[in-house]
Amino acid sequence: MAKKSKRNSGPKPGSNRAAKLEQRRLEREAAAATSRPFEGLAFECDLVALREFVPSALAELPAAADGRRVVGATILPGGVAALVREENGAPVAYVGLQLAAGFGPDPAGELAAALHWAHTAEPGSSLQVASVDDDTPPLAELIDPAAVPAITVHNDFDWWIPAGVEPSAEIAHTVKHANEAVLPSARLEGDGLRGAWWVDPGEKAHLRWVRPEDEDALMAALSRVHAAGGLHLGEGSRFAGSFRTHGLLVPVFDLDREKHPDEWVAPTIEFGQRLDEALAVDEPLTAAERRSRDGLRSRQVTLR
């Protein structure tokens, strides 16, 4: 007699696997419902920047458990969700943070699905779309929430081609075309700075500072600083507005593009100190500060 097929039978009700899958389902639903899908990660602000507006950068993702090296990449060739290639005799996984197909309702789950696939996929393989299913672990099981990864900013996509590999004419053309579209960018690094990025799209450069605070508290603090005349980064700067993305508020400043990004580190730190002082105030806004808040809110947009 032939053995009964177990295909599609699924985990038995009451089994450990069934309980684990149900727990994962509840965690995914909770993550998808939150307006801050990456809340709890120490590098939440930089991760959001890498997903939203940094053209070309790589981040050594902090694995929650020992395993192969995994790199978060702003964009991968063809906009794939992940790929694995061999480097120095070992498999290295690359996970795309900006997806050609856009983002679904559960960005944390999609990133987790891509990471889960990348941990075991063979070199030379790629994942077109990261689909969340019952076997997708929570993101916190795949990335150490307390770790802050090293981030390398590039002004081209030459890293798409592994070292020592001679690309075909088609691939070389693709990389050349991508390089021509890259906007110069830099991550500002200094005392207390995290999630602060300089980007030069052309006529003016910009500072885009992804902030971790509650939106209402941050908007109140920005209003206090504005009313006091301190909403700027000094000469050659102007507050341009703000946008919301992944549940976070991102103040934006227009900057003199003739200045090197490093020249904006000290002014940004000084502005951050003014903002921190305003965040510490626990009193109702004054009439002038409320007018400032209304004006700042009128210049807000939401990306997603």
Side-chain angles (χ1 to χ4, degrees):
M1 178 180 291
K3 293 182 179 180
K4 184 178 180 181
S5 173
K6 294 183 180 180
R7 184 177 300 173
N8 298 325
S9 60
K12 295 180 180 179
S15 68
N16 289 337
R17 175 168 166 74
K20 187 174 183 179
L21 291 178
E22 176 63 13
Q23 179 63 28
R24 285 182 176 176
R25 183 187 67 80
L26 294 174
E27 290 173 347
R28 285 200 308 274
E29 289 181 355
T34 182
S35 61
R36 286 179 63 172
F38 303 110
E39 187 174 13
L41 296 181
F43 73 113
E44 176 190 16
C45 294
D46 278 317
L47 176 58
V48 168
L50 293 170
R51 289 175 66 87
E52 284 300 326
F53 56 78
V54 177
S56 179
L58 299 173
E60 298 284 338
L61 294 182
D66 291 337
R68 66 177 51 170
R69 179 180 168 217
V70 181
V71 180
T74 49
I75 304 172
L76 291 173
V80 298
L83 59 83
V84 179
R85 66 192 193 193
E86 189 170 298
E87 297 180 4
N88 299 319
V92 178
Y94 288 80
V95 176
L97 302 178
Q98 299 176 23
L99 306 178
F103 301 104
D106 183 9
E110 290 164 6
L111 179 56
L115 286 166
H116 187 51
W117 174 90
H119 277 300
T120 57
E122 294 294 324
S125 58
S126 63
L127 177 67
Q128 293 295 317
V129 178
S131 299
V132 182
D133 58 29
D134 288 342
D135 290 320
T136 303
L139 187 58
E141 290 185 11
L142 301 170
I143 294 181
D144 180 1
V148 177
I151 298 174
T152 303
V153 182
H154 295 266
N155 283 320
D156 55 44
F157 286 100
D158 290 350
W159 54 267
W160 278 0
I161 303 172
V165 174
E166 185 66 28
S168 66
E170 181 181 357
I171 292 177
H173 175 76
T174 299
V175 173
K176 180 177 182 295
H177 181 72
N179 287 347
E180 292 171 349
V182 170
L183 302 178
S185 60
R187 181 171 178 259
L188 299 192
E189 298 187 38
D191 185 28
L193 289 184
R194 188 171 295 174
W197 289 80
W198 174 93
V199 181
D200 182 4
E203 184 176 344
K204 296 178 181 179
H206 302 294
L207 172 76
R208 300 170 181 173
W209 196 350
V210 185
R211 300 288 306 192
E213 294 86 6
D214 170 80
E215 181 182 328
D216 289 339
L218 180 58
M219 181 55 66
L222 289 170
S223 302
R224 295 184 195 278
V225 174
H226 181 262
L231 193 57
H232 59 78
L233 302 180
E235 184 178 355
S237 72
R238 182 184 70 87
F239 182 74
S242 60
F243 63 89
R244 304 183 193 91
T245 182
H246 288 69
L248 298 177
L249 193 62
V250 185
V252 180
F253 294 84
D254 290 338
L255 305 175
D256 179 357
R257 67 192 301 262
E258 295 302 318
K259 291 187 176 183
H260 190 275
D262 288 347
E263 295 184 70
W264 294 108
V265 171
T268 303
I269 291 175
E270 291 174 5
F271 167 72
Q273 292 170 346
R274 294 196 295 273
L275 192 58
D276 287 342
E277 291 173 0
L279 283 164
V281 176
D282 188 21
E283 296 178 1
L285 295 176
T286 65
E289 291 167 348
R290 289 195 300 272
R291 288 193 295 271
S292 291
R293 181 188 59 189
D294 293 341
L296 295 179
R297 281 180 171 170
S298 70
R299 287 187 278 175
Q300 275 186 302
V301 296
T302 301
L303 298 187
R304 60 175 56 87

